[in-house]
Structure formats: structure tokens, C-alpha cells
Amino acid sequence: MTIDDPAVAVNLKELSRTLAAASDPQLIEDFLRSLLTPSETADIAARWALVKALDNKVPQREIARELGLSLCKITRGSRELKKPDSPFRKMLHITDQLDRQA
């Protein structure tokens, strides 16, 4: 499948709906670990850590050093976080709400 293949959008929407409907965090984690290679899992975890670090105003060079990410990925994350109606910002808000409930 290539990035512009219509099947990408169809499958991503289906996967998103399914994950949103799942109410078991352990099931979702197990699913992601089964779906992704260990390297892909680490990449996704690092990108989420990047979003949280940017939100906490950690300097980009420090993020690059700590997470082993390129400045290009960090800059992209920073731009995404600054967008109006940023999905990153919305997910961080959900995480904050969950942390407060714990």
C-alpha cells in the first residue's frame, strides 16, 4: 500500500473507530504490540514522548539528545502542536484528564 492509496484512509478510519470503541487499555496496548514491530513500537512511544516534552517546554536539542530523535521530527511535532485545533493538543488534554482521575 502506498500513502496515496485510498485503502490507507479506509483502513485508518476503521482502525481509529475500533480503538476509540475499545474500553480496555491493556487490550489496546497488546494489540499495538502485536500489530507493530518492536522498532515501530519504540518509534511511536518516542514520538508521544516528544509531544509531551514539547508541551512541557523542553528545549528541542535536549529532546533530540534524550529521545534520539532528529531535529526535523521535533520541528514537525512542534508545528503540529501549534496548529489551531491541534490533534496533539486534544490528545494531551485527554491524557491530563485521565491523570487527574487516577
Side-chain angles (χ1 to χ4, degrees):
M1 223 180 278
T2 61
I3 196 164
D4 58 348
D5 185 332
V8 170
V10 169
N11 284 288
L12 191 58
K13 284 184 186 301
E14 180 182 64
L15 180 58
S16 298
R17 279 193 331 266
T18 303
L19 290 172
S23 60
D24 182 351
Q26 187 61 56
L27 171 61
I28 295 170
E29 181 179 340
D30 292 345
F31 170 75
L32 291 172
R33 288 184 183 276
S34 296
L35 180 68
L36 304 169
T37 66
S39 178
E40 290 167 336
T41 302
D43 285 346
I44 288 175
R47 287 183 186 220
W48 181 238
L50 155 68
V51 171
K52 294 186 296 181
L54 287 170
D55 188 53
N56 287 322
K57 311 291 188 239
V58 176
Q60 290 190 15
R61 292 198 185 279
E62 185 177 330
I63 295 170
R65 188 174 54 255
E66 288 180 8
L67 298 178
L69 295 173
S70 70
L71 289 175
C72 291
K73 284 181 184 168
I74 297 167
T75 300
R76 180 180 178 278
S78 179
R79 278 196 309 261
E80 290 295 322
L81 194 55
K82 291 175 184 174
K83 286 182 178 179
D85 273 348
S86 166
F88 284 176
R89 179 77 50 218
K90 290 176 182 179
M91 293 303 282
L92 287 165
H93 180 71
I94 291 169
T95 299
D96 288 343
Q97 288 178 324
L98 291 170
D99 288 347
R100 286 189 199 117
Q101 293 173 3

